[in-house]
Amino acid sequence: MKLIILFLFLIPILLTAQETDSSYTLEFKTRQIYKPDMDIDWSKENLIKEFELKGKLNSKYSIQILDEDNSILSKFINGKWIVVDTITHSLEFNDSITIFLPSYTVTDFDKDGNEDLYCFVSSNMNGNSWTIIYLMNQQTNNLQKLNNIAENSDYIWDAPVYNKKDKTIHCTRVSGNFGKSFESVYRLENQIALPLKKYETDNTKMDEKGEGGVKRKYIGKNGKWILIMEKRNSKR
């Protein structure tokens, strides 16, 4: 748990690395005192935050945490709030009233001069973070969810960090001793993430002697991962 809290604290730092901007994370506090053995009565909560996304054209949005599983993203259009999307997530508390998961950060993720929305929606004991990214589309002035078509993962990204210099997104997932770990790179073009390369360590069939693990290398082609190398680990 401490590792997860530390990662959340580092999110604004990771998002603004090598570039200074006005990133900030929305803060949600419940009226009820949370305890691990209790259920929140969500009918007594009103967890809504309004925020303005600044850029070439400013726009007003809001996030409402409905319950432990869902939040609603809305946009203010012509004097009323219009639902844009439902965000599925886990729920964790930093203390008895402060929610730290889900976490919503306003930041210029792709460094194009328009603020975006970075949503930290789930994590695990290995310190991994799973996120959803909404990029501001300059043509429509609407947030557009960044799809991860290569992973077939319904828009979920593994701790994504954007590199402005080469316009790439770097993702990392770390497993336990007998799981799968990934390092993957995508090129962001016109708000489409094109897969470039991925390294995978698969220890799902590794035995106690350290044998049976597999390392794989992929390249991206036509929006999909193509396996180009597979090496099995053996001490024999």
Side-chain angles (χ1 to χ4, degrees):
M1 179 62 70
K2 291 183 178 179
L3 183 59
I4 296 172
I5 295 174
L6 175 62
F7 184 85
L8 178 67
F9 175 78
L10 291 174
I11 283 178
I13 299 174
L14 293 173
L15 292 174
T16 57
Q18 301 178 345
E19 185 110 9
T20 301
D21 60 16
S22 56
S23 296
Y24 61 93
T25 299
L26 305 177
E27 185 178 62
F28 292 90
K29 292 180 180 290
T30 58
R31 296 171 179 173
Q32 301 165 76
I33 303 299
Y34 172 77
K35 297 179 181 179
D37 58 347
M38 70 167 284
D39 292 325
I40 295 291
D41 183 352
W42 295 100
S43 66
K44 297 180 180 179
E45 300 294 338
N46 187 32
L47 299 171
I48 303 177
K49 291 289 183 179
E50 298 178 8
F51 55 96
E52 186 176 44
L53 295 181
K54 298 178 181 179
K56 294 178 174 60
L57 291 173
N58 295 352
S59 52
K60 190 174 182 180
Y61 282 84
S62 71
I63 287 283
Q64 179 180 11
I65 299 179
L66 294 179
D67 52 39
E68 62 268 20
D69 299 316
N70 300 286
S71 292
I72 296 294
L73 173 65
S74 301
K75 183 179 182 181
F76 194 69
I77 303 174
N78 297 326
K80 59 182 180 180
W81 290 102
I82 305 298
V83 174
V84 174
D85 201 8
T86 298
I87 302 170
T88 302
H89 52 69
S90 301
L91 179 71
E92 296 287 347
F93 279 78
N94 187 29
D95 54 36
S96 59
I97 61 172
T98 305
I99 294 175
F100 75 85
L101 183 65
S103 173
Y104 300 103
T105 299
V106 174
T107 183
D108 184 2
F109 179 82
D110 55 357
K111 309 304 177 188
D112 66 347
N114 298 281
E115 289 183 329
D116 312 300
L117 185 64
Y118 184 101
C119 312
F120 177 26
V121 296
S122 189
S123 63
N124 67 3
M125 66 179 63
N126 295 321
N128 292 302
S129 74
W130 290 284
T131 68
I132 296 173
I133 303 169
Y134 293 88
L135 298 178
M136 178 58 68
N137 186 309
Q138 297 184 42
Q139 281 68 45
T140 64
N141 195 38
N142 291 319
L143 285 177
Q144 178 177 308
K145 189 155 45 174
L146 184 62
N147 191 2
N148 191 344
I149 56 176
E151 302 293 349
N152 192 28
S153 58
D154 192 25
Y155 303 96
I156 298 298
W157 295 88
D158 298 302
V161 176
Y162 183 70
N163 185 319
K164 181 181 178 180
K165 184 176 181 180
D166 56 12
K167 297 182 178 180
T168 56
I169 299 174
H170 294 249
C171 296
T172 305
R173 183 192 300 181
V174 180
S175 77
N177 293 333
F178 299 99
K180 287 185 179 181
S181 298
F182 304 91
E183 291 185 23
S184 51
V185 182
Y186 307 78
R187 175 169 285 114
L188 187 60
E189 294 184 6
N190 299 319
Q191 297 191 325
I192 298 175
L194 303 174
L196 295 182
K197 56 185 177 181
K198 180 170 74 169
Y199 300 94
E200 174 186 314
T201 301
D202 183 354
N203 292 331
T204 56
K205 296 182 179 180
M206 187 173 68
D207 59 26
E208 295 180 354
K209 297 180 180 180
E211 298 181 355
V214 181
K215 292 185 177 180
R216 302 183 180 97
K217 182 178 180 180
Y218 301 81
I219 60 171
K221 186 176 182 180
N222 298 324
K224 297 181 180 180
W225 292 121
I226 305 298
L227 179 65
I228 61 171
M229 187 274 289
E230 183 174 81
K231 183 179 180 180
R232 297 188 177 277
N233 179 35
S234 176
K235 295 184 178 182
R236 296 177 182 175

